[in-house]
């Protein structure tokens, strides 16, 4: 039996010299459930790429007890040690429900056909895992509908999961169902719904949660915490939209306009930034070639070095080394460095990496290198392929715009804003159009695809161009704090 404190020390410093001993102990018959959980936590924090293969073998080994297999798979999930699509599909075809559940939870848009086949079937034994898999990166309306339907599932575990996964995209269509779920007979379901309603700044939700908060059970405690946060947000808008706030005025106090943060902002006098050191190529190669030992300081150093001071002659070799490093955290963190060095080829290679986090970091960093037709083509193809959504989709479109001559993308941006089913793509398209949003004003009379964000972005653009759309008046009846505040700004 290990001292449980030693696991904390291993995790804090990401001491990878313990990796293989931890894996051996994970499968030992002498390891109890509590110790196994602590081992799993430590391995998850280590994020050691050398652990992927042995953990995969354990997870796929049907001769191992299910609890050990599940633990190994959970480490792979928590440490974001992603397997490529071909492996995930092979696992799916294995017929092993333990690994098929893992596939559903790890699915990206490349495996959307697999996850949708389960997400659309409330009776499937793995339905809950499919809902967990679409928590982010699946923002189109039909994906949201699978989550919303889950709130009415007879199994409270699935209802609770549905309430949890709706927090990320905050679809307007889910608010009524979440409000009903906040009174669920199952406490876990009710508390999950209340926590997700934190992100629905409407008067009806505020009133409902205030009523729930008057009780003395776990749901009331959750509601009190959420209401406290929501009230602060509502009170900050009293001066601008007092009339709109009238239905909840009795719940609001007087905002403290004299409150000043005591925190010193980064970079201001009194909080000098530490002096950065210029890394030497030989030292970087030696330190990061060794996958053993303490990795927390190594990863922290990647973000604190003065990479701009590295001699030009050393940069290509370092770029090749960092961009092909076996640790996806290194590959992800080095993208900003590669961008500052204008290492376009390395970034384009990383934009096709097997790890989703690395791909996202690379695509984001591509916008800051010198203009390139190849990047413009690659990022546009990425957007229209449907392989990206959410923040990564928006970043791909922003990178495309950065490498396309002014005006050349306008018609395509208008098309995306009008017809695309991914909200973040539409939102980025509106943002990139700037003051050229007149063709999009009819969108203001349409219901929101996901949230009110596109309407708010369009109204903000109208304000900056002194345009007052006729359709804006109808939006004043919408029960959304942020939209109401934007309309007040437009009227001013």
């Amino acid at each position: 039996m290990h001292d449980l404190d030693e696991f904390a020390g291993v995790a804090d410093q990401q001491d990878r010299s313990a990796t293989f001993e931890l894996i051996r102990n994970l499968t030992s018959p002498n390891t109890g459930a509590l110790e196994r959980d602590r081992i799993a936590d430590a391995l998850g924090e280590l994020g050691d790429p050398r652990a992927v293969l042995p953990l995969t073998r354990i997870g796929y080994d049907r001769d191992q007890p299910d609890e050990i297999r599940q633990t190994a798979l959970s480490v792979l999930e928590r440490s974001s040690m992603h397997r490529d699509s071909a492996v995930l599909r092979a696992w799916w075809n294995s017929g092993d429900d333990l690994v098929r559940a893992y596939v559903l939870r790890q699915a990206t848009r490349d495996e959307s056909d697999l996850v949708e086949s389960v997400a659309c079937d409330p009776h499937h034994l793995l339905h809950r895992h499919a809902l967990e898999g679409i928590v982010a990166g699946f923002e189109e309306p039909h994906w949201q509908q699978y989550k919303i339907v889950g709130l009415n599932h007879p199994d409270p575990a699935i209802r609770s999961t549905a309430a949890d996964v709706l927090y990320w995209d905050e679809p307007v269509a889910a608010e009524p169902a979440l409000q009903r779920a906040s009174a669920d007979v199952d406490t876990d379901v009710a508390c999950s719904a209340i926590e997700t309603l934190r992100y629905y700044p409407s008067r009806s939700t505020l009133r409902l949660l205030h009523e729930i908060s008057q009780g003395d059970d776990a749901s009331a405690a959750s509601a009190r915490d959420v209401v406290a946060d929501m009230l602060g947000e509502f009170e900050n808008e009293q001066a601008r939209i007092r009339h709109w706030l009238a239905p909840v005025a009795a719940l609001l106090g007087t905002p403290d306009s004299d409150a000043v943060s005591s925190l010193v902002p980064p970079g201001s006098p009194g909080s000098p930034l530490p002096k950065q050191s210029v890394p030497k190529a030989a030292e970087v190669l030696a330190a990061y070639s060794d996958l053993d030992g303490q990795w927390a300081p190594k990863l922290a150093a990647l973000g604190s070095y003065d990479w701009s001071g590295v001699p030009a002659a050393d940069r290509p070799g370092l770029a090749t080394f960092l961009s092909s490093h076996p640790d996806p955290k290194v590959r992800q963190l080095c993208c900003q460095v590669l961008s500052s060095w204008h290492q376009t080829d390395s970034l384009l290679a990383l934009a096709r990496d097997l790890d989703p986090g690395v791909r996202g970091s690379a695509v984001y960093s591509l916008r800051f290198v010198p203009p390139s037709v190849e990047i413009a083509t690659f990022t546009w193809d990425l957007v229209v392929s449907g392989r990206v959504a959410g923040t990564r989709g928006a970043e791909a479109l922003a990178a495309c715009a950065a490498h396309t001559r002014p005006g050349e993308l306008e018609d395509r941006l208008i098309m995306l804003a009008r017809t695309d089913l991914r909200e973040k793509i539409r939102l980025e398209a509106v943002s990139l159009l700037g003051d050229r949003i007149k063709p999009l004003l009819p969108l203001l009379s349409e219901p929101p695809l996901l949230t009110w964000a596109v309407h708010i972005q369009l109204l903000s653009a109208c304000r900056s161009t002194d345009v007052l759309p006729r359709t804006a008046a109808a939006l004043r009846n919408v029960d959304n704090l942020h939209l109401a505040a934007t309309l007040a700004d437009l009227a001013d």
Side-chain angles (χ1 to χ4, degrees):
M1 181 72 176
H2 283 70
D3 179 356
L4 296 183
D5 288 339
E6 78 178 74
F7 293 129
V10 166
D12 288 344
Q13 293 300 313
Q14 295 184 28
D15 187 354
R16 295 178 177 177
S17 62
T19 296
F20 296 109
E21 181 187 359
L22 290 172
I23 293 174
R24 284 192 296 272
N25 288 332
L26 188 67
T27 58
S28 170
N30 298 322
T31 300
L34 177 60
E35 186 177 6
R36 187 181 301 115
D37 288 344
R38 297 298 296 270
I39 289 172
D41 290 341
L43 284 169
E45 290 295 323
L46 290 181
D48 190 339
R50 299 174 302 174
V52 173
L53 187 56
L55 287 172
T56 298
R57 286 173 177 161
I58 295 169
Y60 204 69
D61 184 359
R62 296 196 191 196
D63 291 331
Q64 290 281 359
D66 281 355
E67 60 269 20
I68 291 178
R69 296 178 65 204
Q70 182 60 64
T71 301
L73 294 172
S74 71
V75 173
L76 291 172
E77 287 185 60
R78 282 183 283 175
S79 57
S80 298
M81 297 179 187
H82 296 276
R83 304 314 307 257
D84 63 74
S85 187
V87 171
L88 291 178
R89 288 181 179 278
W91 283 24
W92 180 258
N93 292 328
S94 70
D96 184 338
D97 277 350
L98 203 63
V99 294
R100 282 160 66 96
Y102 168 86
V103 170
L104 293 171
R105 295 191 301 269
Q106 292 291 287
T108 68
R109 292 177 70 87
D110 289 336
E111 296 81 44
S112 60
D113 58 321
L114 302 182
V115 73
E116 186 161 20
S117 68
V118 182
C120 71
D121 181 3
H123 303 293
H124 199 289
L125 290 176
L126 300 177
H127 185 65
R128 177 171 62 86
H129 302 282
L131 294 183
E132 290 175 346
I134 59 175
V135 62
F138 295 84
E139 59 183 331
E140 294 93 329
H142 74 282
W143 293 109
Q144 304 304 322
Q145 197 58 37
Y146 297 143
K147 304 176 192 178
I148 295 169
V149 169
L151 291 171
N152 294 317
H153 199 279
D155 185 345
I158 291 179
R159 298 201 302 276
S160 182
T161 296
D164 284 337
V165 299
L166 281 163
Y167 90 96
W168 185 266
D169 289 321
E170 306 160 27
V172 171
E175 186 169 15
L178 283 167
Q179 290 177 343
R180 291 190 295 272
S182 69
D184 197 280
V185 293
D186 186 278
T187 300
D188 288 341
V189 176
C191 289
S192 294
I194 288 168
E195 182 58 36
T196 295
L197 283 169
R198 177 190 300 272
Y199 305 102
Y200 285 79
S202 68
R203 296 164 298 190
S204 63
T205 287
L206 179 59
R207 287 197 301 266
L208 172 66
L209 296 185
H210 178 263
E211 290 175 9
I212 295 173
S213 73
Q214 304 306 302
D216 57 5
D217 56 4
S219 297
S222 295
R224 283 192 289 272
D225 180 57
V226 173
V227 167
D229 283 350
M230 292 183 71
L231 284 176
E233 199 173 6
F234 274 69
E235 287 167 352
N236 288 338
E237 300 294 351
Q238 284 187 86
R240 286 197 293 172
I241 52 174
R242 187 175 300 278
H243 178 73
W244 187 87
L245 289 170
V248 292
L251 305 181
L252 307 180
T254 302
D256 185 2
S257 59
D258 296 328
V260 179
S261 173
S262 61
L263 297 177
V264 180
S268 65
S271 61
L273 295 175
K275 186 176 181 180
Q276 296 177 311
S277 60
V278 176
K280 296 181 180 179
E283 293 175 355
V284 171
L285 294 174
Y288 291 89
S289 292
D290 183 7
L291 295 178
D292 215 40
Q294 297 183 354
W295 266 76
K298 290 184 185 182
L299 293 173
L302 281 177
S304 63
Y305 282 136
D306 177 15
W307 295 98
S308 65
V310 174
D314 290 339
R315 293 181 180 183
L318 279 175
T320 299
F321 172 75
L322 293 171
S323 63
S324 60
H325 198 276
D327 191 333
K329 292 188 181 70
V330 173
R331 301 199 302 276
Q332 184 171 348
L333 289 168
C334 81
C335 289
Q336 184 177 356
V337 177
L338 299 176
S339 176
S340 68
W341 289 349
H342 295 167
Q343 296 289 320
T344 299
D345 290 343
S346 294
L347 280 175
L348 279 169
L350 290 175
R352 299 176 173 90
D353 197 274
L354 292 178
D355 185 272
V358 176
R359 293 200 301 268
S361 182
V363 169
Y364 172 81
S365 299
L366 280 172
R367 78 173 80 175
F368 304 110
V369 300
S372 161
V373 173
E374 183 180 5
I375 294 175
T377 301
F378 168 76
T379 50
W380 176 254
D381 289 345
L382 192 59
V383 169
V384 298
S385 72
R387 292 188 61 204
V388 290
T391 300
R392 287 174 182 166
E395 289 173 350
L397 185 56
C400 178
H403 292 275
T404 305
R405 287 185 294 186
E408 286 189 3
L409 202 58
E410 185 169 332
D411 289 343
R412 286 182 280 173
L413 291 174
I414 291 172
M415 179 269 295
L416 288 173
R418 281 175 170 168
T419 65
D420 203 279
L421 295 179
R422 295 163 292 177
E423 171 146 302
K424 290 294 197 305
I425 293 285
R426 301 176 83 203
L427 197 57
E428 185 64 27
V430 174
S431 177
L432 290 169
L433 282 166
D435 60 0
R436 297 160 292 169
I437 46 87
K438 189 174 181 180
L440 301 179
L441 294 184
L443 291 176
L444 291 173
S445 61
E446 297 181 7
L449 192 67
L450 184 66
T451 73
W452 291 104
V454 170
H455 292 71
I456 290 171
Q457 182 73 36
L458 281 171
L459 291 170
S460 297
C462 288
R463 186 184 183 213
S464 65
T465 55
D466 293 326
V467 173
L468 185 62
R470 290 193 300 269
T471 51
L475 294 173
R476 298 189 187 282
N477 297 320
V478 172
D479 191 5
N480 181 277
L481 178 71
H482 301 149
L483 183 60
T486 303
L487 286 165
D489 288 341
L490 182 63
D492 292 341

